[in-house]
Amino acid sequence: MKGARQVIESLIKENVDYMFGYPGGVLIPIFHELFDSPIKFILSRHEQGAIHAADGYARATGKPGICIATSGPGATNIITGLATAHMDSVPLVVITGQVSTEMIGNDAFQEADVTGITRPVTKHNYLVQDIHDLARIIKEAFYIATTGRPGPVLIDIPVNISNTDCEYNYEKPVDLRGYKPVYEGHPVQIKKAAKMISEAKKPVIYSGGGVILGNASKELTEFAKKTGIPVTTTLLGLGAFPETDELSLEMLGMHGTYYANHAVNESDLLIAIGARFDDRVTGKIAQFIPNARVIHIDIDPASVSKNVIVDIPIVGDCKLILQELINITEKPDITPWIDEIRQMKLTHPLYYDSESPNLKPQYVVERIYEITKGDAIIATEVGQNQMWAAQFYKFSKPRTFISSGGLGTMGFGLPAAIGAQLGVPGKRVINIAGDGSIQMNIQELIVAVQHRLPVIIAILNNGFLGMVRQWQQLFYDKRYSQTCIKCAPDFVKLAEAYGAVGIRVEDKAGVDDAIKQALAITDRPIVIDFVVEKEENVYPFVPAGGTVKDTILRELA
Amino acid sequence: MEQYVLSVKVENRTGVLARVVGLFSARGYNIDSLSVSKTEDIDVSIITIVVHGDDRVIEQVKKQLNKLIDVIKVYDHTEIPSAQREIAIVKIQLTPAKRVEVFQIAQTFGAEIIDISQKALSLEVVGHPSKVENFIEIIRNYGIKELIRSGRISFARDRA
Ligand SMILES: Cc1ncc(C[n+]2csc(CCOP(=O)(O)OP(=O)(O)O)c2C)c(N)n1
């Protein structure tokens, strides 16, 4: 069987339904085979759009996202997408075309050293040099991408390999002696953890993206309920535990709730699950959790004791480990602690000036939450829009918040929303965007139009690269160097030009109608241009390298 | 910063070395010495890395090395009993007057003469890095024209 055919056969065997990508010269043999295959191909308008869409699909469905790009510029266009997925541990299998094996290294037309360029931003990558390795490599790629700590795996396929025949065998089991993820947690460690938890006076669960990746939300919720321990999540952990639950402290970190950061800071035991103590969470590391012991449950041994010294590390699958803990942990006696937290929630709630007559971005997010009853999938861009979405939409289910956390990639949200909508056709997908970010991959709007996807793009249009402007305002004397972007396209006309629906909202009164109008449309994307308060800031704000004591709670008068 | 000796067992494949050293360069670490070669199993190579670094960073690098798919196992030879070896070849100016002296030094270190001419002498010394270091320091007095050193290899001794 020809290499190109083997690629498609293997994808079918892996139950791939959607594939995202863009063709090119060295890929023609593979696209030739795709032509009449059952795989649905989503043609992006820029390879970056394709890989973010595959990423959004993967985050929303839990299945690996599949992306294909041509050699040279096609491949270099997906680097940001690889890095985005790598940082957030998203399973992707990415195929790139390469020049013919005998040309490699000669600066051939559209040649780039793709395995070299992508090495630091992939979990693993391959250059196929022999047709006899192709099927094995594809099988390994799926295995590596989806097991252990997931991540993107890239396969670089030279065009002559695609055109060469050999016997095809996809049945051989994967055998990698250097890769044996550990799933079972060490029983002694689990016992020690259970004891430490039952003796804690001020415990907090700090839950990260790993709980969602590990499909352990149910177990997390059960564990928290059984022990009565409050839960805070990271940005990527949103949805793993219902934010509407009284045990929820919502998000922690730089723009987390004051009560989450306060509770973590005061805690005597931090139970980290599938989280990696990122600097946006810890702030000044030396002063983070001064009184706490730490239990860290993570599938990745390299995450443990990386940034924070851990008392009880438990390496393994958080779902299995939580099941064990649910069975053996006794409920700690923490009534005073719960009272203290309840008090803190009352005295330091998430705040914005909801009385203001102006159109506040937070208000828009709140209304989206209320009107969708919290049942939508929210994809965000990066910046203030991302933080307001995280703060004011209350997430209750895993895989409903889709955002570039680790890399913070502007331009991620729209294509990711498209991928999510394809993967989860039964839910409404809303891209909460900034007027800056949305322009980074706006060309993907046509993909939503083409496939009649009712993605809603809610632009919180503040005329600024708002998050950077906020830092300039607070720390750089309001010198708004290159962050004012009021020279912008008319987003309503732009939507219409693409064949989408465009709606503009300039005051509070119009918000509900616009959201309802958008939700009523089911056959094309809708862009809502919310012209919001220009210099609104995100609070609370723990400045970079600060501690909870440095929190800025609201605008200083 | 302390010196670490890591012995990394890897799949003998293209790209593996780049992955391994990439983890050091990405952290701004300069590798002091490196050697790579096949083992008793033709599919397996051992990479021996000598590097100076901060304790926590090296711990992290070791974990990251273990995460690489093509890395079979990482051994830290920094503090375990191991036989460590390097080779150095030095070419020195040879004035007849110094000849006997140099030969004596060579003999003491078990260095082998690998080339000799009217004006120059090339010596090869093999052994523990400190021995090689000592030899070079002493021979330096005679005017080194050329010096080349191998990467270190390290072999863990069986423990009783
Ligand atoms: C690709 C990329 N370039 C630059 C940045 C740096 N950055 C972070 S937030 C931000 C501003 C985003 O502006 P906008 O999309 O309008 O959102 P807002 O903060 O106003 O909601 C910038 C430039 C980034 N995160 N990603």
Side-chain angles (χ1 to χ4, degrees):
Chain A
M1 192 189 292
K2 265 199 177 173
R5 180 84 231 146
Q6 292 191 26
V7 170
I8 303 305
E9 286 295 324
S10 308
L11 295 180
I12 293 169
K13 283 193 201 293
E14 294 288 349
N15 297 316
V16 170
D17 52 357
Y18 284 104
M19 191 167 170
F20 303 85
Y22 209 85
V26 294
L27 285 182
I28 295 174
I30 294 177
F31 276 78
H32 183 72
E33 296 295 341
L34 258 173
F35 192 63
D36 49 7
S37 91
I39 297 172
K40 286 168 272 192
F41 195 86
I42 305 300
L43 178 71
S44 67
R45 297 303 187 267
H46 185 302
E47 288 88 351
Q48 189 187 354
I51 191 161
H52 289 328
D55 182 320
Y57 171 93
R59 291 187 205 226
T61 63
K63 295 190 275 181
I66 316 297
C67 174
I68 185 165
T70 195
S71 67
T76 53
N77 271 349
I78 62 168
I79 305 301
T80 304
L82 288 170
T84 303
H86 189 55
M87 275 289 234
D88 292 349
S89 310
V90 178
L92 299 183
V93 174
V94 178
I95 294 170
T96 46
Q98 181 55 278
V99 302
S100 208
T101 44
E102 77 280 0
M103 314 255 272
I104 290 178
N106 288 353
D107 295 335
F109 176 63
Q110 293 194 327
E111 182 189 352
D113 172 10
V114 173
T115 45
I117 297 172
T118 62
R119 199 170 289 129
V121 292
T122 50
K123 183 171 174 186
H124 194 55
N125 65 19
Y126 294 93
L127 169 64
V128 184
Q129 289 172 291
D130 182 340
I131 179 68
H132 297 95
D133 294 334
L134 181 62
R136 170 184 61 81
I137 286 174
I138 297 172
K139 190 154 184 159
E140 284 179 6
F142 273 90
Y143 178 71
I144 294 168
T146 55
T147 53
R149 178 176 178 172
V153 179
L154 180 137
I155 312 171
D156 201 24
I157 308 181
V159 61
N160 59 321
I161 299 283
S162 289
N163 282 325
T164 309
D165 264 297
C166 85
E167 201 187 321
Y168 174 63
N169 177 359
Y170 202 69
E171 307 314 316
K172 266 214 204 123
V174 171
D175 177 27
L176 295 162
R177 56 185 156 181
Y179 179 68
K180 304 261 187 259
V182 173
Y183 294 102
E184 303 279 341
H186 197 290
V188 174
Q189 297 291 88
I190 295 176
K191 271 207 198 89
K192 274 204 254 172
K195 180 154 182 290
M196 194 179 270
I197 293 166
S198 58
E199 287 166 359
K201 293 280 167 263
K202 297 176 160 194
V204 174
I205 296 168
Y206 149 50
S207 170
V211 173
I212 291 175
L213 292 163
N215 297 313
S217 304
K218 193 175 129 269
E219 287 75 11
L220 170 70
T221 308
E222 197 181 329
F223 176 67
K225 295 275 188 194
K226 186 180 167 195
T227 54
I229 300 173
V231 181
T232 179
T233 80
T234 65
L235 181 75
L236 292 186
L238 288 172
F241 184 78
E243 292 192 284
T244 45
D245 193 286
E246 62 171 3
L247 284 178
S248 175
L249 300 168
E250 297 148 73
M251 183 172 77
L252 84 167
M254 181 175 275
H255 293 298
T257 62
Y258 184 77
Y259 35 94
N261 288 332
H262 175 83
V264 166
N265 191 57
E266 293 292 303
S267 67
D268 69 347
L269 175 63
L270 191 63
I271 308 162
I273 312 176
R276 58 186 178 86
F277 296 89
D278 171 84
D279 54 272
R280 285 294 188 262
V281 159
T282 62
K284 189 176 185 134
I285 198 89
Q287 282 164 39
F288 180 65
I289 49 168
N291 312 313
R293 289 191 287 180
V294 179
I295 296 170
H296 191 177
I297 301 170
D298 205 289
I299 191 112
D300 178 8
S303 280
V304 176
S305 291
K306 181 173 67 179
N307 297 334
V308 163
I309 307 293
V310 172
D311 297 276
I312 305 183
I314 312 177
V315 173
D317 179 12
C318 56
K319 190 185 184 86
L320 299 177
I321 294 165
L322 279 167
Q323 280 166 353
E324 294 289 320
L325 283 175
I326 290 165
N327 288 336
I328 62 169
T329 310
E330 275 166 48
K331 188 176 158 90
D333 179 11
I334 53 171
T335 319
W337 175 232
I338 296 295
D339 288 343
E340 181 182 336
I341 287 172
R342 190 171 298 138
Q343 200 55 35
M344 196 54 76
K345 280 187 172 181
L346 290 174
T347 53
H348 295 75
L350 261 186
Y351 169 86
Y352 76 95
D353 182 8
S354 53
E355 306 289 299
S356 161
N358 301 341
L359 179 52
K360 295 280 184 180
Q362 300 94 327
Y363 177 76
V364 174
V365 176
E366 262 182 2
R367 295 313 300 156
I368 291 175
Y369 169 66
E370 293 295 337
I371 294 168
T372 60
K373 303 191 180 63
D375 197 36
I377 292 178
I378 302 295
T380 77
E381 299 296 342
V382 170
Q384 295 180 314
N385 60 85
Q386 179 183 35
M387 292 301 129
W388 286 320
Q391 291 178 331
F392 289 94
Y393 195 98
K394 301 299 165 208
F395 294 91
S396 293
K397 292 187 201 95
R399 305 194 179 281
T400 57
F401 179 71
I402 294 177
S403 192
S404 165
L407 201 68
T409 307
M410 289 171 70
F412 171 80
L414 172 57
I418 290 172
Q421 185 72 83
L422 286 162
V424 189
K427 273 198 195 278
R428 290 309 293 256
V429 179
I430 303 174
N431 170 215
I432 294 182
D435 47 323
S437 299
I438 196 63
Q439 295 186 62
M440 283 214 178
N441 271 316
I442 189 70
Q443 77 288 343
E444 298 305 306
L445 188 53
I446 199 69
V447 179
V449 171
Q450 181 183 347
H451 298 281
R452 307 168 74 85
L453 303 175
V455 170
I456 299 170
I457 298 131
I459 304 175
L460 306 178
N461 185 349
N462 53 15
F464 280 104
L465 299 173
M467 186 56 93
V468 180
R469 184 208 55 74
Q470 173 169 346
W471 286 47
Q472 289 172 331
Q473 177 191 333
L474 297 174
F475 311 123
Y476 290 89
D477 307 328
K478 284 200 181 190
R479 284 158 64 95
Y480 293 163
S481 181
Q482 304 307 327
T483 46
C484 182
I485 49 164
K486 58 176 185 268
C487 177
D490 178 330
F491 289 110
V492 171
K493 282 193 190 148
L494 187 72
E496 286 163 358
Y498 273 100
V501 176
I503 305 171
R504 178 162 296 118
V505 178
E506 284 170 305
D507 52 26
K508 259 177 134 167
V511 172
D512 280 24
D513 276 352
I515 297 169
K516 286 178 189 160
Q517 189 189 335
L519 286 168
I521 296 167
T522 56
D523 63 349
R524 71 193 75 178
I526 308 96
V527 176
I528 315 179
D529 183 20
F530 291 103
V531 183
V532 298
E533 179 87 67
K534 292 207 171 327
E535 300 193 28
E536 186 69 18
N537 289 336
V538 182
Y539 296 110
F541 185 10
V542 183
T547 73
V548 67
K549 295 192 180 62
D550 307 313
T551 308
I552 310 172
L553 277 167
R554 57 181 74 179
E555 209 69 57
L556 306 167
Chain B
M1 282 206 290
E2 248 194 278
Q3 192 185 62
Y4 291 81
V5 182
L6 303 179
S7 176
V8 187
K9 200 180 216 186
V10 300
E11 298 288 350
N12 181 12
R13 285 197 193 126
T14 42
V16 178
L17 181 63
R19 284 181 212 282
V20 168
V21 299
L23 290 178
F24 293 89
S25 58
R27 288 170 176 75
Y29 278 18
N30 186 18
I31 290 174
D32 297 332
S33 132
L34 177 73
S35 97
V36 194
S37 203
K38 281 190 268 193
T39 62
E40 74 282 358
D41 177 345
I42 51 158
D43 294 329
V44 174
S45 292
I46 285 183
I47 304 178
T48 312
I49 301 161
V50 182
V51 65
H52 273 85
D54 165 83
D55 190 35
R56 299 239 341 241
V57 179
I58 297 289
E59 270 313 308
Q60 179 60 18
V61 172
K62 274 158 56 181
K63 289 178 178 174
Q64 295 291 346
L65 282 168
N66 263 313
K67 271 176 77 172
L68 294 177
I69 310 290
D70 288 335
V71 168
I72 300 164
K73 203 160 165 67
V74 181
Y75 302 89
D76 188 341
H77 284 191
T78 311
E79 274 167 6
I80 65 160
S82 64
Q84 306 202 353
R85 294 291 179 269
E86 277 178 21
I87 301 178
I89 299 175
V90 279
K91 187 176 189 179
I92 52 170
Q93 212 91 29
L94 194 69
T95 51
K98 302 276 182 187
R99 201 171 256 214
V100 179
E101 235 175 284
V102 170
F103 279 8
Q104 260 169 6
I105 294 166
Q107 208 170 21
T108 318
F109 281 88
E112 207 172 308
I113 296 166
I114 57 168
D115 196 17
I116 187 157
S117 68
Q118 286 289 319
K119 294 195 199 113
L121 172 71
S122 299
L123 292 164
E124 173 198 278
V125 63
V126 180
H128 190 274
S130 59
K131 169 181 155 186
V132 174
E133 199 65 50
N134 274 340
F135 175 76
I136 293 169
E137 275 322 301
I138 292 172
I139 222 73
R140 207 178 281 288
N141 301 328
Y142 301 90
I144 293 178
K145 287 173 78 182
E146 255 181 86
L147 167 64
I148 181 169
R149 287 175 78 160
S150 71
R152 190 179 308 182
I153 57 173
S154 174
F155 182 81
R157 298 183 204 271
D158 287 334
R159 276 194 266 191

